[in-house]
Amino acid sequence: MERTHKAHCLVLTYPTQGHINPMLQFAKFLHHKGLKVTLVTTHFLLNTLQLHAGSSSCNVALETISDGYDEGGYAAAESADAYLNRFWEIGPLTLTKLLERMSSSEYPVDCIVYDAFMPWSLDVAKKFGIFGAVFFTQSCAVGNIYYHAHKGLMKLPVSGDDGEILIPGLQLPLEAVDFPSSLCDLGSNHAVYDMVVGQFSNVDEADWVLCNTFYELEPEVVDWMSKLWPLKTIGPTIPSMYLDNRLKEDKGYGVNLFKQNHDACMKWLNEQPKDSVVYVSFGSGSELGAEQMEELAWGLRISRSNFLWVVRESEAGKIPEGFVEEISEKGLVVSWCPQLEVLAHEAVGCFITHCGWNSTLEALSLGVPLLAMPQWTDQGTNAKYIMDVWKTGLRALPDENGIVKKDVVELCISELMEGEIGKESRRNAMKWKEVARSAMAEGGSSAKNIDEFIAKVVEYVQP
């Protein structure tokens, strides 16, 4: 049978919003370039996803594997350790069954692009003789740190007593607060540590290494890591309308785990002056303690700026009683919102963020200054780069108990919205916006790497 596509690529993602979005966006690029693409996630997550009709993601086929918790996903597991142990046991078996079924179909799989969190995917791919490409959803700087931890090339746990630490390939020395949290407190969550460091357990066997960043953002570390593996930057993987506009009508990722307050958000923003609004969101997974939520709330209240604050339903009980009613004339609190549309809106002057990598890339790509309040995982490293390398914002410093107090929140907002630091951060953010667009445009650094990856896959399939 004559092929109607260049190759069939399976894109296998770890089942959280922050991992699905960039990998789905990459899948759209591959489809746009003539590959047949199937996105694979867990049974439970597929039943949870809200698919948006009309999105270009509708051109990507969907399949599932099991994580061992088909009825409830991660929330049904006894612990993070239990979830990952079960997923790592069941996942490879069900992926094998999926590939066996597809091998006798009209479109057998030629390539697997798999989330770096799930290195066992490569082992399965190799059994089938399939091209295997690992996809890192974090920055190269963070990946480099995890690699050094995996190889035993750095002292663990990292502590405040260590002073400044220089990791080969990074652009500046780091202190303990700048490292991924799992490397500082080894005993708090063994499962997370094993997963993030285990990303490099078999990376040497991958046919290709893909990173959701762009070369100009992290040149030193990309060059350093490229000496180890066939590494290519292919990001920022955000909807095309905000970058190169090659995928027409590609305005959103196309899937969501949360119901958005779209109309309320945009109507309110449309009524605000240019650069007047502080947008606040801590992503799909970060959880603030009750004391931190209260300090943040009152810091927003006493600031001179209007604000749009995303508080997920699971976090709403931590908002001070009466707060929403009290700030109704200067603020809007919603359970979820279309973040890209919000960041692209002219009314938004800065973004208070947990510094998840997706949020960081989105802000850089849309020219929005950042107020960094990192919580855990890779966010401290991202915050360090935001302030000291890319110079697109400030880091709100916590007190001795780890709480960013309301007066610090208010002062940082004032600096970013009205001060000289804010002006410089805005200028730098706009510069990165243009660089990000250039990277994804035809002939740009990331666009060329995507084309090279596709050519390599096709060559592997049709030598």
Side-chain angles (χ1 to χ4, degrees):
M1 182 182 297
E2 186 176 347
R3 282 180 175 267
T4 58
H5 58 281
K6 297 177 182 178
H8 183 187
C9 188
L10 209 68
V11 178
L12 179 60
T13 176
Y14 186 76
T16 61
Q17 182 89 57
H19 286 246
I20 291 172
N21 281 352
M23 296 195 74
L24 173 56
Q25 196 61 35
F26 184 63
K28 293 184 204 175
F29 291 136
L30 298 183
H31 177 269
H32 177 68
K33 291 285 187 175
L35 273 63
K36 177 174 174 56
V37 185
T38 300
L39 183 78
V40 180
T41 186
T42 61
H43 299 317
F44 172 75
L45 204 73
L46 182 62
N47 293 330
T48 307
L49 288 174
Q50 299 181 40
L51 301 174
H52 302 305
S55 167
S56 56
S57 61
C58 295
N59 296 319
V60 175
L62 295 171
E63 285 285 356
T64 59
I65 60 172
S66 177
D67 59 3
Y69 295 90
D70 295 344
E71 301 302 318
Y74 179 81
E78 301 86 344
S79 64
D81 280 302
Y83 177 77
L84 291 174
N85 287 337
R86 183 65 173 157
F87 192 0
W88 268 223
E89 175 187 352
I90 297 297
L93 299 177
T94 53
L95 176 59
T96 297
K97 290 180 180 178
L98 175 63
L99 291 173
E100 288 174 343
R101 172 164 61 84
M102 287 185 154
S103 65
S104 58
S105 72
E106 184 179 359
Y107 300 111
V109 175
D110 303 305
C111 166
I112 293 182
V113 176
Y114 65 94
D115 193 309
F117 275 15
M118 303 187 293
W120 45 262
S121 308
L122 181 62
D123 300 332
V124 176
K126 292 300 181 184
K127 289 179 182 178
F128 283 82
I130 294 171
F131 188 94
V134 56
F135 188 108
F136 286 95
T137 59
Q138 69 225 3
S139 74
C140 280
V142 168
N144 190 30
I145 294 170
Y146 287 146
Y147 167 75
H148 279 82
H150 169 72
K151 298 296 285 186
L153 299 174
M154 56 184 291
K155 173 179 167 291
L156 295 176
V158 180
S159 126
D161 297 332
D162 296 331
E164 290 190 335
I165 302 171
L166 186 60
I167 303 293
L170 297 194
Q171 292 166 267
L172 75 176
L174 305 178
E175 297 180 0
V177 294
D178 307 320
F179 278 86
S181 58
S182 55
L183 304 186
C184 300
D185 186 2
L186 302 183
S188 64
N189 200 325
H190 295 290
V192 172
Y193 173 84
D194 291 342
M195 183 167 64
V196 296
V197 173
Q199 293 178 96
F200 293 91
S201 59
N202 60 358
V203 68
D204 293 342
E205 301 170 29
D207 295 296
W208 213 256
V209 177
L210 305 169
C211 296
N212 182 25
T213 185
F214 50 105
Y215 176 79
E216 295 82 358
L217 197 62
E218 308 179 81
E220 290 88 350
V221 68
V222 172
D223 287 342
W224 193 91
M225 295 176 76
S226 296
K227 296 175 183 177
L228 301 175
W229 312 293
L231 182 147
K232 299 293 180 181
T233 57
I234 47 81
T237 53
I238 71 173
S240 183
M241 190 190 101
Y242 301 98
L243 291 169
D244 58 286
N245 209 27
R246 280 189 287 167
L247 278 62
K248 300 303 179 185
E249 301 302 317
D250 184 33
K251 300 178 180 179
Y253 292 106
V255 300
N256 215 311
L257 295 178
F258 304 94
K259 186 177 180 180
Q260 297 181 358
N261 304 84
H262 180 279
D263 292 342
C265 289
M266 302 317 294
K267 180 178 183 296
W268 185 83
L269 278 176
N270 289 338
E271 296 169 352
Q272 310 305 316
K274 184 178 180 180
D275 294 333
S276 67
V277 173
V278 177
Y279 170 57
V280 190
S281 177
F282 287 78
S284 59
S286 292
E287 297 180 0
L288 274 62
E291 184 180 357
Q292 182 61 84
M293 283 285 282
E294 184 170 348
E295 291 292 333
L296 176 58
W298 297 126
L300 293 169
R301 175 67 182 88
I302 63 176
S303 76
R304 291 188 291 272
S305 298
N306 293 348
F307 61 90
L308 170 61
W309 187 9
V310 175
V311 181
R312 301 191 312 274
E313 290 182 1
S314 59
E315 297 282 280
K318 301 173 186 176
I319 300 174
E321 186 176 353
F323 176 80
V324 173
E325 293 75 17
E326 183 176 338
I327 54 84
S328 60
E329 292 187 4
K330 72 168 294 184
L332 178 67
V333 179
V334 297
S335 59
W336 200 245
C337 77
Q339 180 159 291
L340 285 162
E341 283 190 62
V342 170
L343 289 173
H345 199 286
E346 67 174 8
V348 173
C350 82
F351 178 16
I352 300 181
T353 173
H354 62 310
C355 303
W357 186 235
N358 287 336
S359 289
T360 300
L361 273 183
E362 288 168 4
L364 289 167
S365 300
L366 293 169
V368 181
L370 296 153
L371 175 53
M373 288 182 59
Q375 302 300 304
W376 70 314
T377 62
D378 62 340
Q379 296 160 17
T381 311
N382 298 338
K384 177 67 171 177
Y385 272 66
I386 286 167
M387 183 167 175
D388 293 337
V389 177
W390 306 318
K391 299 185 184 302
T392 58
L394 289 172
R395 184 172 185 165
L397 297 179
D399 65 10
E400 63 276 7
N401 297 314
I403 303 296
V404 177
K405 306 297 281 188
K406 62 185 177 183
D407 57 333
V408 174
V409 172
E410 187 277 330
L411 178 61
C412 288
I413 290 174
S414 177
E415 289 283 358
L416 279 177
M417 296 294 281
E418 304 168 19
E420 290 302 316
I421 292 176
K423 292 177 182 177
E424 180 188 7
S425 297
R426 191 165 289 104
R427 285 193 298 270
N428 290 331
M430 293 303 294
K431 179 195 75 173
W432 286 117
K433 175 181 178 179
E434 294 307 313
V435 176
R437 288 186 173 186
S438 296
M440 292 303 295
E442 196 74 50
S445 58
S446 291
K448 287 193 293 187
N449 287 340
I450 293 173
D451 289 343
E452 188 177 342
F453 167 72
I454 292 171
K456 192 73 176 179
V457 171
V458 172
E459 177 188 344
Y460 184 86
V461 175
Q462 304 168 349

